[in-house]
Amino acid sequence: MRPEPVRTDPVPGRGGSTPSARPEIHLFEPSGYAGVFQHACRLGQLLGRSGRRVVLHTGHEHEEVRIDGVDLCSCSWWPRHGEGGARRSAAIARRFVSHTLPHLHAAVPRGAVLHVEGIAAAGALTLLALSVGRFRDRLVVYSPHDTFSRRGRVDGALLRLALRVPHAIIVYSDADVEVLRHRGLEAHCSPLVQLVPEATDDERLRWRNEWRAGPDVSVVLFAGCIRPEKRLDVLIESARHWPANRRLAVVGEDRGAWAHCAELAKAYGVDVSARVEFLELEEFSAAISAADLVVLPYDKASQSGVLAVARQLGTPTAAANVGGLRELASQTFEAGDPHDLNRAIDAQLARAVAPVPSLDDNLAVTVHLLAYGQSA
């Protein structure tokens, strides 16, 4: 996709000059797909409706989205398909440094807000993006989405250093506020708003048919990236003891844990209905809407876009009591304990009460504008 043209007209800064009441807001999410991108889209949409000019800088192969009031700029080279590995990461890093960072420096005007979303760029690149943003009297805001790193100790140290660079930090759970407070950092806490399309009855029925789930069958769904720390294996272990009218479904992209989980399911004789691939937002939301319960058996988490989407769609959830998961889940259980997970599943399915859809949009806008130093 070709980048949308980005205006570079100057905006009055804060360094001794009179600041604009509504300086431009530039959101930067480099990948262009999955939960953090979808959050950035919804946030941009809400900020645009408040009368601000919003630009979302993102990946060149970004998901097809319809977001009114937001200029999309495809300035980050971030291929969605193909195998990962060191060569892909190195190619992304080279283009990030040679093209994306110079573009951001030129496109984000003096005095504007630059809000860096997520950790997809990894510690070193996140640190560079935030540092470049500090030039030209811009207000730099950072939302890490995870306050830990999946890439080892060096990357974790760089991310902790990156947290010292911005003027303000926004996180999406009270648990992360406490994590940062223990590190001597203050953070604003906002609801995690997500772009959530409504599913039709036909879309839900297609998923139920794919899962071979009639009206008397309860579908327990694992949704999202299949990573080792997300512990799909614990859910498979719990499924060994399920009644016959309960089915395990999995939807999401493999990030290194599916082969082990598939072997485990085969060894235990657990029937798993799995679609192991990246799903576009409409299909992903429809799957969550079609399930009777969404389970997040994670070992480690800051918050979860899956929980936010499920809550918005009215689908009950059960989550391990780690990080910020407990703040949104319908039921919680001890992380890593399949027996306590079964207790939570039984309790929620017996209760059969859907969560009340969240009404967090206004609060999210208020918190973000406060972090940006702007009035609502």
Side-chain angles (χ1 to χ4, degrees), residues 31-116:
S31 73
Y33 67 100
V36 179
F37 171 71
Q38 293 151 13
H39 159 75
C41 288
R42 180 58 175 164
L43 174 62
Q45 187 179 57
L46 294 172
L47 292 169
R49 290 175 183 173
S50 73
R52 275 76 181 173
R53 178 175 187 256
V54 181
V55 181
L56 173 54
H57 302 267
T58 192
H60 73 296
E61 294 180 354
H62 63 75
E63 290 184 68
E64 293 287 347
V65 290
R66 295 179 296 275
I67 44 174
D68 53 290
V70 179
D71 294 332
L72 281 175
C73 174
S74 309
C75 59
S76 173
W77 186 81
W78 206 280
R80 292 174 56 189
H81 308 290
E83 293 189 10
R87 292 182 64 182
R88 176 180 180 272
S89 297
I92 288 173
R94 283 196 301 272
R95 297 204 189 193
F96 191 94
V97 172
S98 65
H99 175 74
T100 306
L101 289 183
H103 166 79
L104 285 176
H105 183 62
V108 182
R110 181 179 299 277
V113 174
L114 175 61
H115 185 170
V116 177

Side-chain angles (χ1 to χ4, degrees), residues 8 24 32 43 85 95 137 139 156 166 172 182 204 216 233-234 239 255 288 310 346:
T8 57
E24 294 183 8
L43 174 62
R95 297 204 189 193
D137 196 32
L139 178 71
Y172 301 100
H182 283 305
R204 283 189 287 268
D216 297 327
D233 59 312
V234 174
R255 294 292 181 88
I288 290 176
D346 291 342

Side-chain angles (χ1 to χ4, degrees), residues 43-347:
L43 174 62
Q45 187 179 57
L46 294 172
L47 292 169
R49 290 175 183 173
S50 73
R52 275 76 181 173
R53 178 175 187 256
V54 181
V55 181
L56 173 54
H57 302 267
T58 192
H60 73 296
E61 294 180 354
H62 63 75
E63 290 184 68
E64 293 287 347
V65 290
R66 295 179 296 275
I67 44 174
D68 53 290
V70 179
D71 294 332
L72 281 175
C73 174
S74 309
C75 59
S76 173
W77 186 81
W78 206 280
R80 292 174 56 189
H81 308 290
E83 293 189 10
R87 292 182 64 182
R88 176 180 180 272
S89 297
I92 288 173
R94 283 196 301 272
R95 297 204 189 193
F96 191 94
V97 172
S98 65
H99 175 74
T100 306
L101 289 183
H103 166 79
L104 285 176
H105 183 62
V108 182
R110 181 179 299 277
V113 174
L114 175 61
H115 185 170
V116 177
E117 292 275 0
I119 62 169
L125 300 185
T126 299
L127 180 59
L128 279 171
L130 292 168
S131 300
V132 167
R134 290 290 300 243
F135 293 102
R136 300 182 67 193
D137 196 32
R138 291 175 287 235
L139 178 71
V140 178
V141 179
Y142 179 34
S143 290
H145 285 266
D146 287 325
T147 52
F148 60 92
S149 173
R150 296 185 176 92
R151 299 177 179 87
R153 296 176 63 182
V154 172
D155 187 74
L158 290 169
L159 282 171
R160 288 192 294 274
L161 181 60
L163 286 163
R164 304 282 173 175
V165 176
H167 297 96
I169 301 169
I170 303 173
V171 294
Y172 301 100
S173 69
D174 291 330
D176 269 358
V177 171
E178 289 303 312
V179 167
L180 295 182
R181 187 168 291 154
H182 283 305
R183 297 179 188 172
L185 296 165
E186 293 299 317
H188 301 268
C189 186
S190 168
L192 183 65
V193 293
Q194 294 288 132
L195 201 63
V196 184
E198 288 291 334
T200 67
D201 290 340
D202 285 345
E203 288 170 333
R204 283 189 287 268
L205 181 59
R206 279 197 292 272
W207 275 114
R208 300 289 297 192
N209 289 339
E210 180 172 327
W211 297 331
R212 307 183 306 282
D216 297 327
V217 173
S218 296
V219 174
V220 177
L221 176 67
F222 178 98
C225 293
I226 307 169
R227 300 179 187 274
E229 81 277 4
K230 295 198 172 182
R231 299 305 305 274
L232 174 58
D233 59 312
V234 174
L235 184 54
I236 291 170
E237 174 78 27
S238 78
R240 298 174 68 186
H241 309 288
W242 289 0
N245 65 341
R246 191 176 299 171
R247 183 173 300 282
L248 174 58
V250 174
V251 296
E253 190 176 20
D254 181 26
R255 294 292 181 88
W258 174 244
H260 167 68
C261 291
E263 289 177 6
L264 194 66
K266 183 177 180 180
Y268 289 158
V270 173
D271 182 17
V272 182
S273 180
R275 179 97 73 87
V276 182
E277 62 186 32
F278 179 81
L279 298 180
E280 297 295 333
L281 179 58
E282 287 80 6
E283 271 199 296
F284 187 77
S285 295
I288 290 176
S289 183
D292 296 285
L293 180 67
V294 175
V295 173
L296 290 78
Y298 304 172
D299 264 351
K300 197 173 188 179
S302 284
Q303 41 71 29
S304 169
V306 172
L307 278 179
V309 170
R311 181 183 174 192
Q312 189 63 37
L313 292 170
T315 302
T317 53
N321 56 355
V322 297
L325 300 187
R326 60 175 68 90
E327 298 170 28
L328 281 182
S330 308
Q331 295 278 338
T332 60
F333 56 91
E334 282 297 318
D337 186 340
H339 301 292
D340 198 41
L341 169 53
N342 267 341
R343 175 203 58 77
I345 292 173
D346 291 342

